[in-house]
Every structure is written in structure tokens, then in C-alpha cells.
Amino acid sequence: MNKAAIIVAVSMLLSRVLGIFREMLLAHAAGVSLEKNALDLAFMIPDILNHVVSTGFLSIIFIPIFTGYKVAGDEKGGWKFFSNVLNTFGIALLILVVPAFIWMKELLQLLTVDGATPELIERATYYGRIILPGQVFIFVGSILVAVQHTRKQFLIPSLTGLIYNVAIVAGGAAGLALGKYTGTDYGLEGFAWGVPVGAFVGFFALQILGARRGGVHYEFIVQPKHPDIVRYFKMMLPMSLGVGSMFGLEFIIRSFGANFGTGGISSLNYAYRVMYTLVAVFGFSVSVTSYPDMARLVKEGDFGQLNRKIWKSLSRMFCILIPAVVAVWALSFPAVRILFERGAFQRETTEAISEILRWYLPVSLGLCLQAVLVRSFYACERMWVPTLLNTGIFAATIPAYILLGAPEVGLGIKSVPIIGATGAILQVISMIFMWAKKNGTDGMKDALLNMGRALVAFGIMIFAAIGLDHISGEFVRNANFIVLVVYACAAGIALFTLTLIIQRYLGSKDAKDILNELLGKILRKLHLAKR
């Protein structure tokens, strides 16, 4: 792994750790209270605006066009393009932010179900107006990060998420401490203020410093009809209008969560965040590292090798993901208890969220596969195909959320992850079909066979997981924290390894390779220890 990759990997890991710590602090302070629901709901409008200007996809859209100027030797033109994007789309974002700030309450009422009480809407509006300005800093900072990446500068850009989470944690801790000292209940206001502060410091001020070190040149240019701005907009449009699984799931949690009682939104969000860790570790890591090779193979026109690359990545990722899902399923109660059960987060909440987490785990399979498949379409500049597929399937599931979430059906809060998983898997199947129809099936058969073996191993191991859960039920509910952590680690490693071994004996080449790599590393470590 080169120096740049190590910098990014370490920063992402630390940011994830801080993100989990943030959720732990929130669990301790508010549990699944109305206040926590309000803070979760407050992110709805800021996240929608973020999605509309495609802040999360800036590197995919901006870098190829900006790099084109550099390759052509037109550095001045590149900086004009940078300034034009920043100004044109920045103004567009401001035009959206101002009315969103004014009519925040009405927008939240429009986008949430009847279960959202007036008190919940009021608190979410208050928090949302604190959070919203941070989106402007995140947008500007994301463009500055993309510019630095084109200059092979990674250290300062890698600090964005880290500083953002530090600010939220620090703001939350300060607010709680101040409230305790003064005897005034500030709720979760400190966490909300941490968002714009973290966005300003991490995404804006620090990235201006990094970009200036890289020689950035800015001027006030607003030319929305410039050919490259039009090209940028055309590439951005499907991403802005489309609704992917992750954005859709988060929208549903905030929009429908209030239907399931006072703690509905926060209960779903806690379980979703734990599940999302699997997606970040397995799905994003594979998709991000595979994307440059995908883009190169598309430019070379080698679609046979591209297919083999994609299917090999999917097969190997699935082989490792399935054991992780088995382990988390079996240890859902210990995991939730270790992470969250303290302060306002009580035992009955642990029981409820560990059950929701189990229903969310199939979603991780769909999201991880999508992370790779979507980028394969992006590498071919076919942005509209996954957009139309994913958005169409998401829209088709909305009636199911309404019908199956009704009290008379009996599914209750579990309907959200069940429908979410169904939609995510249907999206994957549709994308595979469309990709194979256009680009062929090289490498597909072997990958699907290996993935089938992984699913068989999952079916076998889920019985072991059920048995372990039944046998250890009393122990995991009464063990002290240290003992529970040791047990969860040992049981998780055992379940993970056993699931890989079963895949190996079912004939999975991926499992065989992974086990050999793990065994080789262990033997090398032991050899070093003996020396």
C-alpha cells in the first residue's frame, strides 16, 4: 500500500471510530427519546440539498473534466472551470438553502408521516436550522478536496471527516457538560452546533489552506452556459435526481420512523449505523480501489477484462462479507449492548435495536454489491442506467412501507429493514441484468457459483448462530463489560472463520485463497515471534 493510500485508510478508520463514539455519546445522553428523534430528523433537509448538488459525487464528476485541462496544458482554463463550478453551483445551493431555512418546518411536515408530532417537528426544525448552513461549507470544501486530489495532495483532504466528527463530539460533550454545570437542559443542541463548526473548520478553512498550498487560482466567474459547465450539469443531473438505496433508506427512516412511536426514528437509525459499518468496510473499500482500474479498462476498450475485474471483486467481497454478516447476526445483542447500553440507553432499547439490526443485515449485502456495480456504470459514463433502475425500484417500494408498516399488518418497525433489503436486492439483480446485456458475461458464471456457495454457507451457519444465541442468552445479558467484549471478539472470530471454512469445503476458490492468505500471515507472525 502506497503512502497516499495509507493516509486515506488511516483517516477513514479514525473517522469511523469517531462516528461510532458520537453515536455512543448520543445513546448515553438521549437513548431513543424524542430529542434524539428530532436530531436525526433534522438532517433530512440538509441531506436532500446535499444530494441535489451531488456533493458526494464531486470527485467522480469534477476530476475528469478538470484533469482534461491539465492534460491539454491549459492550466488557466482549468482554474477558470474550477471557479465557474464553485460560483455557479454555489449560488444555486445558496438559492436553495435560504428558502429551506425559512420554510424548514413546512418542509419537514410535508416529508414526514402523520406520526410525527408537533413537538418533534418543532425540535427538528430548530436543530435543522442550526445544521443547514454547514452544507454550504461542505460543498465548497468538497470541490477544494477534489482539486487537491488532482495535485496528488491527500493529507489535508483526508482530515475532513475526522475534524467534522471531532467537532460534533466536542460540541455534544460541551453542551452536555454546560447543561449539567448550569442546571439548564440544552437537549442535544451542542451536537447540532458541532455540524456547522466541523464543516467550517474541516471542509472550508482547512481545505482553503490545502488548496492554496497546491497553487489554486480563484476568480469570480459565473458562466452557466459554458460547455464544460453544461457537461458537468449533465453528468450531475442523474445523480441529483436519482435515489440510491442508501439515500432512500435514510429518507425512509426519517420520513416513516415516527410511525413507530417516540423512539422510532432513533431506533432505526442506531441499527442502520451499525449495519452501515459493514457497507463502509467491505463495499466502499472494494469499490473505491476498483474504480480507477475500471475507468482505465473502459478507456482501453477491454470490456472482457473489465467484466472479469468486476466479477472477481464482487465474488471476493461477498465471500468475506457473508462471514461478517453471520458473526454480527449471532452477536447483535452483545454488539448493541457494548456500543450503546449506558446512561439513557436502557436494556429494553438494547433488546429492540438488536432485533432491528438482524433484519437490517440483508440490506448490507445489497448495498455492498451496489457500491461496486454502480461504479462500473459510472466508469462507462452511463449514469442514467443505475439512476433510473434504483429510483424506479425505490419508488415502487414506497406503497409497501405504507401498507406493511400499518399496525394491523403486525410487522411494525421491522417492515422498514425488510422492505429496504428487498428493494436493495432487486436493484442489484436489475443492474446485473442490464450490465450483462450490454457488456457481456465474462467471469460472471464462476462468480455467481462462488456467491451461491457463500449463501449456502450462510444458510448452514445461521442455524449455528441461532443455537449460539439461544445458549448464550442469559450470559450475554448478565456478563460485565470486559467479559462481554472478550466473548464477542472470540465468538466473532470463530464464526467468521468457520463460515469461511464451510465455503472452502463447498468448493469456493475465493474462500480457499483468503484462508491461505490468513494462514500465511499468522505463520509469518509466529515465525517473527520465535525469532
Side-chain angles (χ1 to χ4, degrees):
M1 185 180 286
N2 60 39
K3 184 179 178 181
I6 291 172
I7 289 171
V8 175
V10 170
S11 176
M12 285 183 66
L13 177 61
L14 291 174
S15 182
R16 289 289 164 198
V17 170
L18 279 168
I20 290 291
F21 182 71
R22 179 191 67 209
E23 293 300 317
M24 291 169 67
L25 190 60
L26 281 164
H28 180 274
V32 291
S33 62
L34 181 142
E35 199 73 9
K36 176 62 166 60
N37 273 9
L39 184 64
D40 289 337
L41 181 57
F43 281 90
M44 177 184 275
I45 304 304
D47 281 357
I48 289 173
L49 293 184
N50 187 303
H51 185 75
V52 166
V53 295
S54 297
T55 300
F57 297 102
L58 274 174
S59 61
I60 293 173
I61 306 169
F62 178 86
I63 289 177
I65 302 176
F66 184 79
T67 303
Y69 283 97
K70 184 179 177 181
V71 171
D74 185 9
E75 187 163 340
K76 184 178 180 181
W79 292 124
K80 284 183 178 292
F81 169 70
F82 154 76
S83 299
N84 202 1
V85 168
L86 186 60
N87 297 330
T88 302
F89 291 97
I91 290 170
L93 179 59
L94 284 172
I95 291 171
L96 294 172
V97 163
V98 172
F101 186 92
I102 296 169
W103 290 294
M104 177 77 69
K105 180 179 178 180
E106 289 75 14
L107 288 169
L108 288 174
Q109 288 173 330
L110 178 67
L111 295 171
T112 53
V113 295
D114 294 337
T117 64
E119 186 181 3
L120 174 62
I121 296 294
E122 286 290 343
R123 293 301 290 167
T125 300
Y126 178 71
Y127 288 143
R129 285 174 173 157
I130 294 172
I131 292 167
L132 185 61
Q135 301 307 306
V136 177
F137 300 130
I138 291 173
F139 170 77
V140 174
S142 296
I143 294 179
L144 294 172
V145 163
V147 168
Q148 290 173 82
H149 283 174
T150 65
R151 307 299 238 197
K152 304 299 181 183
Q153 296 172 242
F154 295 99
L155 178 58
I156 292 178
S158 71
L159 298 176
T160 52
L162 196 62
I163 292 173
Y164 181 71
N165 277 314
V166 165
I168 296 173
V169 170
L176 295 174
L178 182 63
K180 188 175 181 180
Y181 178 76
T182 61
T184 304
D185 183 10
Y186 293 103
L188 302 177
E189 193 170 331
F191 291 96
W193 280 109
V195 174
V197 171
F200 176 81
V201 176
F203 280 89
F204 186 71
L206 187 62
Q207 300 315 314
I208 287 177
L209 175 64
R212 288 184 66 182
R213 289 177 60 190
V216 68
H217 294 282
Y218 169 80
E219 53 186 297
F220 189 76
I221 300 173
V222 182
Q223 297 175 342
K225 294 184 179 180
H226 188 281
D228 278 333
I229 293 295
V230 173
R231 180 185 171 195
Y232 182 99
F233 178 74
K234 287 180 177 179
M235 292 175 69
M236 184 189 85
L237 190 62
M239 298 178 184
S240 299
L241 297 179
V243 180
S245 282
M246 279 178 288
F247 180 80
L249 283 166
E250 291 177 7
F251 177 83
I252 289 296
I253 287 171
R254 293 162 183 161
S255 183
F256 286 84
N259 264 348
F260 307 108
T262 304
I265 296 175
S266 49
S267 294
L268 288 166
N269 194 57
Y270 282 124
Y272 176 81
R273 291 300 163 196
V274 177
M275 179 277 295
Y276 183 80
T277 303
L278 293 176
V279 181
V281 171
F282 296 100
F284 290 162
S285 62
V286 173
S287 62
V288 169
T289 54
S290 300
Y291 185 70
D293 284 337
M294 290 183 194
R296 175 181 58 80
L297 290 168
V298 169
K299 295 298 182 184
E300 293 172 356
D302 192 349
F303 285 94
Q305 182 61 27
L306 175 64
N307 273 328
R308 289 187 289 273
K309 170 72 177 176
I310 291 167
W311 282 107
K312 183 177 179 180
S313 298
L314 290 172
S315 177
R316 190 175 175 89
M317 176 187 68
F318 203 76
C319 178
I320 304 173
L321 177 61
I322 285 293
V325 169
V326 168
V328 175
W329 193 98
L331 300 169
S332 62
F333 182 88
V336 174
R337 187 183 162 198
I338 289 167
L339 290 173
F340 304 126
E341 192 181 288
R342 55 191 62 85
F345 199 102
Q346 301 297 311
R347 174 56 55 87
E348 60 269 22
T349 308
T350 302
E351 297 281 3
I353 291 176
S354 61
E355 183 68 18
I356 298 169
L357 173 58
R358 286 178 169 173
W359 288 104
Y360 258 129
L361 288 172
V363 178
S364 67
L365 303 180
L367 295 184
C368 285
L369 293 171
Q370 278 194 47
V372 177
L373 286 168
V374 165
R375 278 171 172 77
S376 67
F377 284 97
Y378 291 166
C380 298
E381 296 190 13
R382 296 172 64 197
M383 276 69 172
W384 278 108
V385 176
T387 295
L388 294 174
L389 287 174
N390 290 345
T391 305
I393 291 171
F394 171 74
T397 64
I398 291 177
Y401 285 108
I402 297 169
L403 295 172
L404 297 183
E408 56 270 20
V409 175
L411 284 177
I413 200 168
K414 295 193 294 291
S415 62
V416 174
I418 290 171
I419 298 166
T422 304
I425 292 168
L426 285 174
Q427 288 168 332
V428 167
I429 293 170
S430 300
M431 278 192 281
I432 288 173
F433 176 79
M434 293 301 293
W435 178 264
K437 184 178 179 180
K438 176 74 174 179
N439 300 102
T441 59
D442 290 348
M444 181 176 174
K445 182 179 178 181
D446 288 341
L448 290 178
L449 285 173
N450 276 335
M451 292 162 75
R453 294 181 182 106
L455 289 173
V456 171
F458 175 80
I460 294 169
M461 284 300 298
I462 207 67
F463 289 103
I466 292 169
L468 179 64
D469 181 57
H470 181 73
I471 294 168
S472 65
E474 187 79 15
F475 167 75
V476 298
R477 283 160 178 79
N478 297 310
N480 66 48
F481 183 81
I482 300 298
V483 171
L484 191 62
V485 170
V486 172
Y487 163 77
C489 291
I493 292 169
L495 289 165
F496 186 93
T497 305
L498 186 56
T499 309
L500 271 179
I501 291 171
I502 291 173
Q503 289 186 68
R504 162 71 177 85
Y505 281 100
L506 287 171
S508 171
K509 185 178 182 300
D510 291 323
K512 180 182 178 181
D513 292 343
I514 291 166
L515 284 168
N516 287 339
E517 289 170 16
L518 290 173
L519 183 61
K521 288 180 180 179
I522 292 169
L523 291 175
R524 284 194 294 273
K525 291 288 184 182
L526 291 174
H527 177 68
L528 289 172
K530 288 178 181 177
R531 290 198 305 176

